[in-house]
Amino acid sequence: MSALVTTLGERTLEEVQGILPHEHVFTDTRQGEPPGFGQGNSEDVEKLVVPWLQKLQKQGINCMVECTPIGCGRRVDIMKAVSEAAGFPLVVATGIYREPWIPQWAVDASGAKLYEWMKKELTVGIEDTGVRAGWIKLSAGDDGLTAVEEKILRAAARAAKECSATIGSHTIRGEVVLRQLDILEEEGVPLDRFIWIHTQAESNQEFHMQAAGRGAWLEFDGIGGSPADEDYLGLLQSALDAGFGQQIMLSQDRGWYDPAHPDGSTFKPYTYLMDSFVPLMREAGLAGWEEQLLRINPFRAFAR
Ligand SMILES: [Zn+2]
């Protein structure tokens, strides 16, 4: 049976009411690993994040995908502590961000070594946390994949196939996504195991249709930020009209404790989507899609 691999064990569809597929608990996006990079006290993070997870749970969302890969200060030990304190399961990622955030060890590593490392995180666990990665998070440059990014993508493709895991990529331009899909096809990965993170950043919707037409997931995931809610509604409606309702996910890219700022910076609540966007969807006559978009699709996209 397929299930989500979370910080609190596996979760089947029956156990999940609602899932946010792209949020953050602890992330550090500073380049070059300056002093204090990725450093944080788990009690401070819990104090900031746990109440918001509990509020989210009251809204009927009881699972969240944490999207921080290597290169962005990933701290699975802290995510695990937060998750346990809130009683809220998180799906955490293996994988590596794009250049120039890719750490030197990964630049130097062979594809085979990167594959073995991701496979270990997906099947055995991450560091000494006892938590398995639930999926693979990557990225690509805006003007195309660099050689190192392509090496990481091919290693991820092999790990994804072996572990029946999904790959999600922060990719801003549609042309780059189509190249990633070509590579995954070459590696034998079914394209319904690929999530186009930040689909909304590509303004040419023709690319959305092409990627979805090949089987990929579209993720409209900056709701509550940019663009405006009405624009998200338009993007959603277009993809639904084109018949891709089984391949769309909605999220906010919100949170998070950022160690680059005092007290982890100003937190962006996870509750925006249910408080503000879902009512707009209902007004637009899309209430019938809530279960599909907020529960079934993200479950199917990430389940292993
Ligand atoms: Zn993100």
Side-chain angles (χ1 to χ4, degrees), residues 175-210:
E175 274 174 43
V176 182
V177 166
L178 297 183
R179 174 70 188 131
Q180 289 178 301
L181 296 182
D182 291 343
I183 291 170
L184 292 175
E185 267 172 355
E186 282 170 31
E187 298 287 345
V189 176
L191 297 186
D192 63 357
R193 299 267 78 185
F194 180 83
I195 300 164
W196 180 1
I197 292 170
H198 309 326
T199 306
Q200 71 276 0
E202 171 56 71
S203 56
N204 183 348
Q205 285 179 264
E206 190 48 45
F207 284 111
H208 305 185
M209 304 308 162
Q210 278 190 49

Side-chain angles (χ1 to χ4, degrees), residues 22 24 67 137 198 253:
H22 190 111
H24 295 267
C67 293
K137 164 80 182 281
H198 309 326
D253 208 0

Side-chain angles (χ1 to χ4, degrees), residues 138-173:
L138 308 171
S139 184
D142 296 351
D143 299 319
L145 288 160
T146 67
V148 175
E149 288 161 1
E150 182 171 335
K151 174 181 73 175
I152 293 169
L153 178 61
R154 288 187 187 275
R158 296 196 282 278
K161 256 197 320 184
E162 174 96 13
C163 307
S164 76
T166 281
I167 297 172
S169 179
H170 165 126
T171 308
I172 299 306
R173 289 189 46 232

